[in-house]
Amino acid sequence: MIDLEELRKKNLVRPFSTSLKSVGCGQVSEEHIGKELKLVGWIESIRDHGGVRFIDLADITGKVQLVAKKEQKIDTYRTIEDLVEFSVIRVEGEVRRRPEGTENPKIRSGSVEVFVSKIELLSKPDILPFLPTERKEPSEEIRLKFRYIDLRREKMRRNILVRHLVARKVREFLWMHNFIEIETPFLTKSTPEGARDFLVPSRLQKGKFYALPQSPQLFKQILQVAGYERYFQIVRCFRDEDLRADRQPEFTQVDLEMSFVSEEDIIALVEELLRFVFEEVLSYKLEIPFPRISYDEAMRKYGVDKPDIRIPFEIQDFTQIFSESKLDFIADAIQGGGKVLGFVASGIQPTRSKLVSYEQLAKSMGAGGLMWFVVQGGKVVASPILKFLQDKEKSALALTLNGSDGVIFAVAGRYELARDVTAKIMKNISHDFNKVNTSKFAFLWVVDFPLFSWDEVEQRYVSEHHPFTAPKEEYIGILESDPLRVRARAYDIILNGEEVGGGSIRIHQEDLQRRIFKILNLSETEVEERFGWFIRALRYGAPPHGGIALGFDRLVALMLGEENIREVIPFPKTQSGTCLLSEAPSSVYQKQLDELGIKIKER
Ligand code: ASP
């Protein structure tokens, strides 16, 4: 894992000198020996060694050891004895080599110390709610409420610096490849990306609203019409969704768009970009090109559209093996058009209680149960349904293990249910039995997505990606007659089973775009009201174009091995969308509402 000191070396290269200080605390080094320096920082610790005090003085660049006499004056009344941890002080002193045997090789300034001749107290702290130097992590609520203290912790310093470095390297790469950084509006009109919009009321035009962008999708396409052939932006996006652990109402994307390209150009560019960033930031060598899998194959083999290809198992269809089963629940499932799906986990030996816990998980997902078959020495030796199994079923099952020992899991039921349950159990078992190489970064492209899916609730077709995604040429003829068969020119990029980006080649012809809207059941009036401004642009010389957006927060989190994106966002919101630091969202004054012409129905 990347070390904070390494990061400082990469990020904070120039001397942090101002009129108050000569260099940053962590930048004091042997080259300063014999020199008088001015330093400013926070006291991280004070150690009492009889007549002298050792002080660790820290700032963003790291820390340096100060040595001061106990009677060293601060002002007329106070001495060094009055200083407490996390006071902000300014010192002057001479840099000396540390006595042999007292060096600290872990920090950059570890071979030197500063003999203090003058101290000034710039800011005296109250008692801190927690110490950033403590090993134990406070509750997340406290961490977010006092984020400014939390952000002083080593781990957060590392995360924020890595985030910064990734952004820098992304820019560096894209600049090198002729991309132009262009801002698009935040106060804009709703663009559907499948979520609810955050609305901003207009004061000048009462009763009207801006929407915060769910992404810069339409503006980046407009920029292509305008001839800005390679656009990019590291940009905030806003989606008003019910928040899950890995979502935030505002999040950051590396958003890009190119003209005169095919899928291959975008995919190749993103692979090069990621290889560059991983090498520069983590010194990790990614092998490119990344593997690709079609959406259909991903669903069939892994049961999800974002497979973690580090998982060594694949879904198998056992329906044939059980086609003459005497067990009602299996026979009924098959007769009702369902399947028996499962997977073969060789080399694992779960305890009975573990097996029961998987069974419970399967049931909680709506399956009738979970079948498992322990195979040893080429024979099924245990299973909850052992006595109901016919010999040919047993031997067919045992054969799937190719002579090794292990366990076969299976679920009978509706295809989608059996698939989803199998996928979930497969994932859990891989992790529970350390079958996943967690030090590996496994990228994967998922391609050939369906263009539409059917929304049961709304009773209409909806876009799988977004309505501006182009269908594959060969399906244009069946757009209206068989929408669900149409495949899209879309691609998602997956890292270790998490979606870290997605994009597509876009529609650049007005008539095709209108046909898509029609299939999505938008009336002409709706299309005009919501997208008229955009469709009009397609009339005036729109080049073929395409692009992608990478989820920046998630990418950084995965690079750092952080499970939660809140760990890489300086000021994140809680599950209920609250900023615990500023206490947003909050009520506003009546006067503000009046100005906007807004009346709150009820609180
Ligand atoms: N705008 C899309 C998104 O936010 C990305 C793209 O199609 O480029 O997912």
Side-chain angles (χ1 to χ4, degrees):
M1 178 36 70
I2 190 158
D3 174 67
L4 182 55
E5 281 299 314
E6 274 305 306
L7 275 170
R8 286 177 165 135
K9 269 187 229 159
K10 282 186 181 167
N11 277 299
L12 314 171
V13 280
R14 309 233 164 194
F16 267 53
S17 58
T18 69
S19 52
L20 294 193
K21 61 185 198 165
S22 324
V23 287
C25 298
Q27 295 176 320
V28 182
S29 69
E30 291 182 16
E31 67 177 284
H32 299 113
I33 290 175
K35 293 208 175 94
E36 279 284 325
L37 294 187
K38 293 184 225 162
L39 298 170
V40 192
W42 287 259
I43 295 181
E44 262 193 14
S45 73
I46 310 176
R47 294 178 302 279
D48 181 353
H49 279 235
V52 289
R53 298 283 180 276
F54 286 100
I55 296 176
D56 280 339
L57 191 68
D59 63 15
I60 191 75
T61 61
K63 58 186 170 189
V64 64
Q65 177 164 286
L66 309 179
V67 186
K69 294 215 184 69
K70 165 171 145 232
E71 51 280 353
Q72 173 70 47
K73 285 233 177 278
I74 295 175
D75 50 37
T76 335
Y77 307 105
R78 290 174 298 185
T79 70
I80 196 155
E81 302 248 61
D82 296 297
L83 294 177
V84 293
E85 284 176 357
F86 291 94
S87 305
V88 182
I89 60 168
R90 177 165 184 266
V91 300
E92 286 175 26
E94 190 196 322
V95 181
R96 298 189 195 163
R97 185 179 295 284
R98 288 202 202 184
E100 227 182 287
T102 65
E103 299 96 341
N104 178 0
K106 282 201 220 118
I107 57 173
R108 258 197 291 176
S109 69
S111 58
V112 295
E113 54 196 7
V114 179
F115 276 75
V116 172
S117 53
K118 197 172 158 200
I119 290 200
E120 223 178 300
L121 178 59
L122 301 181
S123 175
K124 189 178 169 206
D126 269 352
I127 293 174
L128 273 65
F130 62 92
L131 290 181
T133 42
E134 259 166 56
R135 208 156 269 235
K136 194 170 157 282
E137 194 163 277
S139 72
E140 199 182 21
E141 210 181 319
I142 296 287
R143 289 179 56 204
L144 292 179
K145 184 169 158 77
F146 298 97
R147 191 62 156 177
Y148 38 88
I149 296 175
D150 190 49
L151 286 170
R152 289 183 200 163
R153 293 168 55 233
E154 283 236 341
K155 189 185 89 163
M156 292 311 291
R157 287 251 152 105
R158 182 200 70 180
N159 291 3
I160 299 298
L161 279 177
V162 165
R163 185 185 173 101
H164 160 72
L165 191 58
V166 174
R168 237 175 82 178
K169 293 298 167 184
V170 165
R171 287 206 166 87
E172 224 172 281
F173 179 91
L174 292 173
W175 289 338
M176 269 178 338
H177 287 78
N178 296 328
F179 279 79
I180 302 177
E181 203 168 347
I182 308 177
E183 287 154 292
T184 50
F186 278 178
L187 294 179
T188 178
K189 200 166 165 131
S190 160
T191 307
E193 295 268 2
R196 220 173 271 122
D197 285 319
F198 276 103
L199 298 178
V200 181
S202 160
R203 178 181 60 83
L204 295 176
Q205 298 179 43
K206 287 198 184 45
K208 293 198 174 162
F209 294 83
Y210 302 97
L212 299 179
Q214 293 187 31
S215 88
Q217 186 61 35
L218 294 183
F219 283 96
K220 70 173 171 173
Q221 289 192 236
I222 295 264
L223 283 168
Q224 301 312 299
V225 180
Y228 294 84
E229 202 169 313
R230 292 185 174 204
Y231 140 95
F232 93 98
Q233 192 177 187
I234 298 183
V235 63
R236 202 69 55 80
C237 302
F238 305 86
R239 297 184 191 177
D240 190 2
E241 290 173 294
D242 294 324
L243 304 183
R244 282 183 276 140
D246 57 347
R247 292 272 174 93
Q248 283 283 309
E250 48 179 314
F251 60 95
T252 305
Q253 283 187 342
V254 175
D255 190 45
L256 61 91
E257 195 76 6
M258 301 164 84
S259 290
F260 311 115
V261 287
S262 74
E263 294 83 330
E264 295 306 325
D265 298 293
I266 309 270
I267 286 177
L269 179 103
V270 170
E271 286 173 345
E272 293 280 356
L273 165 69
L274 288 167
R275 182 168 69 170
F276 177 76
V277 170
F278 272 67
E279 170 78 55
E280 294 281 308
V281 179
L282 299 179
S283 306
Y284 184 94
K285 291 205 186 332
L286 286 176
E287 232 176 84
I288 61 171
F290 302 149
R292 291 187 205 182
I293 189 172
S294 73
Y295 169 86
D296 288 337
E297 193 183 343
M299 295 307 286
R300 193 172 59 242
K301 283 191 178 164
Y302 301 99
V304 286
D305 62 1
K306 41 179 184 173
D308 184 350
I309 48 172
R310 298 170 310 166
I311 292 179
F313 311 125
E314 281 178 14
I315 298 179
Q316 295 188 20
D317 188 346
F318 298 134
T319 315
Q320 190 58 38
I321 296 183
F322 291 99
S323 58
E324 288 165 31
S325 175
K326 299 274 181 285
L327 284 159
D328 286 348
F329 74 92
I330 299 181
D332 290 351
I334 297 176
Q335 232 146 51
K339 294 269 180 200
V340 183
L341 300 183
F343 67 102
V344 177
S346 69
I348 69 159
Q349 277 187 316
T351 59
R352 199 160 256 273
S353 68
K354 201 89 200 145
L355 289 167
V356 170
S357 77
Y358 297 134
E359 239 173 277
Q360 278 159 354
L361 174 63
K363 284 186 182 154
S364 74
M365 290 180 73
L370 175 73
M371 296 179 270
W372 44 264
F373 311 93
V374 179
V375 174
Q376 273 165 17
K379 289 203 167 62
V380 177
V381 296
S383 166
I385 55 166
L386 190 62
K387 54 178 189 253
F388 306 104
L389 286 178
Q390 304 167 45
D391 286 343
K392 60 176 176 186
E393 291 170 338
K394 280 193 238 176
S395 48
L397 283 168
L399 269 181
T400 61
L401 269 148
N402 274 331
S404 46
D405 292 351
V407 185
I408 300 155
F409 294 88
V411 183
R414 206 165 39 79
Y415 174 76
E416 285 80 10
L417 180 68
R419 180 193 65 196
D420 294 351
V421 173
T422 306
K424 179 83 183 162
I425 307 277
M426 216 159 82
K427 182 172 170 189
N428 284 16
I429 287 182
S430 307
H431 286 277
D432 293 352
F433 291 89
N434 297 322
K435 294 281 182 192
V436 174
N437 179 355
T438 46
S439 64
K440 196 173 154 188
F441 292 105
F443 278 100
L444 171 75
W445 289 102
V446 179
V447 296
D448 301 341
F449 277 88
L451 190 64
F452 303 107
S453 57
W454 176 255
D455 189 316
E456 271 304 327
V457 183
E458 293 191 31
Q459 287 290 303
R460 65 174 186 99
Y461 294 108
V462 291
S463 298
E464 266 288 310
H465 195 49
H466 51 56
F468 316 102
T469 298
K472 289 194 174 214
E473 202 65 35
E474 60 270 34
Y475 292 92
I476 293 184
I478 60 156
L479 268 180
E480 286 82 3
S481 58
D482 199 355
L484 291 179
R485 245 186 64 212
V486 179
R487 301 288 117 167
R489 297 183 70 180
Y491 30 81
D492 270 2
I493 182 162
I494 313 301
L495 171 54
N496 296 351
E498 306 246 18
E499 189 192 323
V500 289
S504 57
I505 298 300
R506 327 295 185 186
I507 296 165
H508 70 282
Q509 309 94 332
E510 177 182 358
D511 53 338
L512 184 56
Q513 187 64 71
R514 285 193 187 277
R515 278 171 71 188
I516 299 289
F517 283 136
K518 200 158 178 197
I519 296 167
L520 297 173
N521 209 18
L522 290 176
S523 71
E524 301 251 332
T525 329
E526 276 172 301
V527 170
E528 185 47 42
E529 268 175 24
R530 292 170 64 186
F531 306 113
W533 65 280
F534 170 71
I535 294 193
R536 226 168 353 265
L538 297 182
R539 278 182 211 156
Y540 301 107
H545 60 283
I548 193 166
L550 302 176
F552 183 69
D553 311 289
R554 194 166 302 170
L555 180 67
V556 175
L558 284 163
M559 288 176 80
L560 281 162
E562 291 287 6
E563 284 191 2
N564 199 310
I565 58 169
R566 292 197 291 271
E567 296 298 322
V568 301
I569 298 176
F571 302 106
K573 297 192 171 54
T574 63
Q575 219 92 320
S576 61
T578 308
C579 169
L580 288 177
L581 176 64
S582 67
E583 293 173 348
S586 55
S587 319
V588 293
Y589 293 114
Q590 188 57 45
K591 181 165 170 277
Q592 291 173 291
L593 291 178
D594 292 344
E595 276 170 356
L596 294 165
I598 286 183
K599 193 162 171 209
I600 307 286
K601 267 177 136 177
E602 57 191 45
R603 293 225 190 249

